[in-house]
Amino acid sequence: MSEGVTTTTWPTTLPQGGVVAATDFSPGAQAAVHRAARLAQGLGTHLTVLHVLQHDWITELTTWLGGAQPRERIVADARATLEELVHAMRAQSPALAVHAALVEGHPVRDIDGVARQCQPYCVVLGASGRGGAQLPVLGTTVERLLRKAGQPVLVVRQPPQRSYQRVLVAVDFSPWSAPTLDLAAAVAPQANIWLLHAYTVPYEEKLRFAGVDDEMIELYRQRARERARNGLHHLAQQRGWPPTRYQTVLHEGDAAPALVYEAVQRDCDLVVIGKHGVSAAEELLLGSVTKHALAQVPCDVLVSTLQASA
């Protein structure tokens, strides 16, 4: 774990790989833990359930109450709650190896720190916390974690009733697109998959200003649509997907509202999207379409942090 990441970690040695589910013991986090368990079982790996006790809060409370006993009691209670949760998960899924991890530190920093130490397949967390408010919105733990994350992050909004069945994958032909398809196929091997791309007619306004007539602009529009469709098929074929494995969805215009519209219209239970987009500026933070998806789509969102090698 990187320098300065944690104050206390239990156990001191964490299992490598698997799936990490972060929990604050809220109902939203409970849904995320159960989805993570389904995901780990499907991938044939183990599950680590992680709880981060916020160090600043514990320190302030101890200062107010005085002495070390309040801190020790808080840590002991959190550990007991975590062990009870893990015991219940083991009883529910006997074939699944479930581990507990308790960290005292900072939630964003330490979830990321544990993920970088363990190198899990993905990190799973809920879209609502102790307050019950729906997350993520800009500036929340989810987005701040995604800014730092080196592993895919699954944000869970819905109680997991079954494996993912209806998956929408956003494709913009950036270096993140191919790994995003691979990730979708791995987490939802039996699902119906739609590959969505939003296209535009390059420089349409400038073409009109230059006097290009509507017929010629429509021809450019058809060409842009055909290039997009061919690009989607090419990506799928590179993955070895047969034509029955997926469908293509093309939208003209802004990708963000198109993504939300298609997710709702197709009653998707999962949206998969890359962390960044084609714009170099987006790489400084999160891609704008990714942030829009996190804020607006009603289903789970899986954000791929991987990009294709050059």
Side-chain angles (χ1 to χ4, degrees), residues 104-285:
E104 182 186 334
H106 184 277
V108 173
R109 185 187 64 192
D110 290 315
I111 293 171
D112 179 63
V114 168
R116 291 183 184 276
Q117 178 186 6
C118 298
Q119 293 293 302
Y121 189 85
C122 75
V123 176
V124 184
L125 62 165
S128 58
R130 286 189 176 275
Q134 280 298 307
L135 300 177
V137 293
L138 301 185
T140 63
T141 297
V142 174
E143 190 196 355
R144 285 184 283 130
L145 177 62
L146 276 166
R147 292 171 188 249
K148 299 168 65 68
Q151 285 72 38
V153 176
L154 174 62
V155 181
V156 175
R157 278 195 167 90
Q158 302 172 336
Q161 304 298 328
R162 58 183 183 178
S163 299
Y164 291 121
Q165 301 293 311
R166 304 173 66 82
V167 179
L168 182 66
V169 183
V171 179
D172 63 1
F173 304 121
S174 70
W176 282 267
S177 293
T180 300
L181 267 66
D182 293 334
L183 189 61
V187 302
Q190 305 301 323
N192 295 320
I193 293 181
W194 289 273
L195 303 180
L196 169 67
H197 178 73
Y199 68 95
T200 58
V201 178
Y203 312 113
E204 179 173 355
E205 293 301 319
K206 292 182 179 180
L207 290 173
R208 292 189 183 279
F209 184 77
V212 178
D213 60 37
D214 289 344
E215 183 177 352
M216 183 59 67
I217 290 175
E218 180 59 29
L219 177 61
Y220 292 152
R221 179 173 289 107
Q222 293 175 9
R223 288 177 178 173
R225 186 177 182 87
E226 192 62 25
R227 282 197 299 270
R229 180 182 291 108
N230 290 340
L232 292 176
H233 286 307
H234 179 66
L235 272 176
Q237 290 164 5
Q238 284 183 318
R239 323 256 76 70
W241 291 8
T244 54
R245 182 72 178 91
Y246 68 98
Q247 299 178 56
T248 62
V249 182
L250 299 173
H251 268 257
E252 182 179 359
D254 190 351
L259 181 66
V260 177
Y261 174 82
E262 290 295 339
V264 172
Q265 289 298 306
R266 299 177 188 277
D267 193 25
C268 292
D269 48 18
L270 179 66
V271 165
V272 187
I273 190 168
K275 181 176 178 179
H276 302 300
V278 294
S279 169
E282 288 182 337
E283 297 184 25
L284 297 175
L285 300 173

Side-chain angles (χ1 to χ4, degrees), residues 65 187 270 289 302:
L65 297 178
V187 302
L270 179 66
V289 178
L302 177 58

Side-chain angles (χ1 to χ4, degrees), residues 56-70:
D56 292 346
W57 174 76
I58 296 177
T59 301
E60 183 176 354
L61 185 62
T62 302
T63 300
W64 274 95
L65 297 178
Q69 287 188 346

